[in-house]
Amino acid sequence: MADEDIMKRAPALLTPVVMAYERRLRRYGTTAQGVFWRNDEWQRRRYDILARIFDDDALKGGITIHDFGCGYGALFDYLADHPVMRASRYIGTDMSDAMIEAAEKSITDPRASFRRHLWAEDMVDYTIVSGTFNMLMDADAAEWRDYVEVSLKRLWRTSRRGLAFNMLNSLSEGKFAGLYYVPPENMLAFARAEMDPAAELSIDTPMPDFTIFARRR
């Protein structure tokens, strides 16, 4: 499907996902379970892995970071005291009004801003995507794959220095209905073809997902 067609289809495709996340938020609040993670520890482990995208220069601070699919802003809480956030700016984007409202209510740090949108808008130094593409609900898997790839290509175009994202590993055990699982080698091949020819894959057991790191060379 053409990129333009996917962009037009995205609102309808994502509405069931938004509804599922907002039901979850009402039930569990601003917790790891509120965004379908197992627990706080596993959420933090994912952030530890994704933070590997930052190089030594980034650790000096003074950068912009886009959290695509930010939920209630847990990644900002994780990064708040991290070296990368010295004189830096964080932008959280989510498709859910309720998630954005929860993030703005709980995070008042002036370095952070939040907005509701389906796509990347701003040029930033780094983009991080954690769990954003995991839930397809009843969507067609091929159409969801097209949406994921279009989204990632747009995110790459708005990332000056690097992009890190994770997705559920099709080789993991205990799969659940309504979730989107991908062979790691397929996404690595996509990242190397569309983004960074030297993109890297990280599989960190026992996590059920894998992480891709793409960098501007």
Side-chain angles (χ1 to χ4, degrees):
M1 187 178 292
D3 289 5
E4 295 78 9
D5 294 332
I6 282 294
M7 291 173 66
K8 291 176 182 177
R9 284 279 298 133
L13 191 66
L14 294 170
T15 294
V17 180
V18 173
M19 294 174 64
Y21 272 100
E22 293 189 347
R23 286 194 300 269
R24 190 80 172 185
L25 180 65
R26 287 193 296 270
R27 181 176 180 183
Y28 292 101
T30 54
T31 66
Q33 291 87 350
V35 285
F36 290 97
W37 291 129
R38 176 181 293 189
N39 52 46
D40 292 341
E41 178 188 353
W42 278 40
Q43 186 181 52
R44 185 178 182 86
R45 283 193 194 184
R46 287 181 174 89
Y47 294 159
D48 287 342
I49 295 165
L50 289 161
R52 296 176 195 163
I53 191 64
F54 301 124
D55 59 18
D56 290 343
D57 193 50
L59 294 177
K60 299 174 185 176
I63 61 174
T64 48
I65 300 167
H66 182 202
D67 179 7
F68 183 70
C70 64
Y72 59 87
L75 177 60
F76 179 79
D77 288 334
Y78 170 87
L79 291 174
D81 297 322
H82 194 287
V84 297
M85 282 307 300
R86 286 194 294 256
S88 293
R89 186 164 61 98
Y90 163 100
I91 301 168
T93 300
D94 203 276
M95 58 190 176
S96 163
D97 284 326
M99 287 291 181
I100 294 299
E101 289 173 7
E104 291 178 332
K105 182 177 180 179
S106 64
I107 298 173
T108 58
D109 191 308
R111 296 173 297 174
S113 62
F114 298 92
R115 63 196 60 178
R116 183 192 180 279
H117 210 284
L118 298 183
W119 306 102
E121 292 185 293
D122 302 288
M123 286 299 302
V124 297
D125 293 306
Y126 290 94
T127 299
I128 293 180
V129 189
S130 184
T132 303
F133 302 122
N134 287 355
M135 185 174 294
L136 80 166
M137 302 298 286
D138 295 322
D140 176 77
E143 188 173 22
W144 189 259
R145 180 199 64 213
D146 290 342
Y147 158 69
V148 170
E149 292 183 354
V150 169
S151 295
L152 286 169
K153 286 188 288 186
R154 289 174 65 96
L155 290 166
W156 179 243
R157 287 197 297 269
T158 57
S159 303
R160 286 185 288 259
R161 296 168 64 174
L163 166 64
F165 65 93
N166 57 33
M167 298 185 70
L168 292 170
N169 190 337
S170 64
L171 302 178
S172 63
E173 298 179 356
K175 297 182 181 64
F176 296 92
L179 299 183
Y180 184 61
Y181 295 86
V182 190
E185 63 274 11
N186 288 10
M187 287 312 300
L188 180 62
F190 167 80
R192 287 180 171 174
E194 299 290 344
M195 304 175 192
D196 170 15
E200 301 168 3
L201 166 68
S202 181
I203 298 176
D204 299 85
T205 55
M207 310 298 286
D209 40 32
F210 61 88
T211 308
I212 300 286
F213 301 96
R215 298 177 174 87
R216 300 286 182 185
R217 308 289 173 173

